[in-house]
Amino acid sequence: MSIEQFKQFVKKHPKLIEEVRQGKKTWKELYNDWYVFGEDDDMWDEYRSTEKDEQGDLVQKLASYLKHLDVNELQTYITNVQQAIASIQEVVRQMQHTKKDPFSFRKD
């Protein structure tokens, strides 16, 4: 069993990362348990994430993001994007009126 396999195991069980961050476990403890018991042991059941858990986490992250969103800053970004699009449209209109391809090159 390699460290790469353990990393893949942790990716499948993201709740393990939270355990380490909260100081409940260390990476060494988790690796030793994984090495001794294997990844199919019942001890990992509490760390298995379901699709429903992942969706709930996503909703929580989105709600947190929206809470900290500055509406005025968002409005500024939207205005800047609109101005950029308008500028691009104006350049395209000017190119269409000249009916020449400004990017064509003549062969010498």
Side-chain angles (χ1 to χ4, degrees), residues 16-71:
L16 291 171
I17 297 170
E18 293 302 317
E19 289 287 307
V20 173
R21 287 182 181 163
Q22 293 172 1
K24 295 178 182 177
K25 298 269 187 179
T26 66
W27 287 118
K28 183 174 171 77
E29 290 173 327
L30 291 173
Y31 179 79
N32 289 339
D33 289 346
W34 173 80
Y35 188 81
V36 172
F37 299 109
E39 62 183 72
D40 296 326
D41 193 85
D42 293 339
M43 71 181 295
W44 305 115
D45 287 349
E46 65 182 288
Y47 302 110
R48 298 190 201 286
S49 66
T50 62
E51 208 172 293
K52 193 173 185 177
D53 290 341
E54 291 173 8
Q55 288 175 351
D57 290 344
L58 180 63
V59 170
Q60 285 179 339
K61 287 179 185 178
L62 182 59
S64 174
Y65 176 76
L66 290 175
K67 248 189 246 182
H68 296 96
L69 184 66
D70 182 2
V71 178

Side-chain angles (χ1 to χ4, degrees), residues 65-104:
Y65 176 76
L66 290 175
K67 248 189 246 182
H68 296 96
L69 184 66
D70 182 2
V71 178
N72 293 328
E73 188 176 339
L74 180 62
Q75 182 62 42
T76 302
Y77 289 141
I78 292 172
T79 301
N80 290 341
V81 169
Q82 287 174 331
Q83 290 172 349
I85 291 171
S87 297
I88 292 169
Q89 287 174 333
E90 183 59 32
V91 168
V92 169
R93 276 192 213 106
Q94 289 176 0
M95 289 171 57
Q96 288 174 341
H97 288 301
T98 60
K99 294 187 181 184
K100 291 182 181 178
D101 186 3
F103 301 109
S104 67

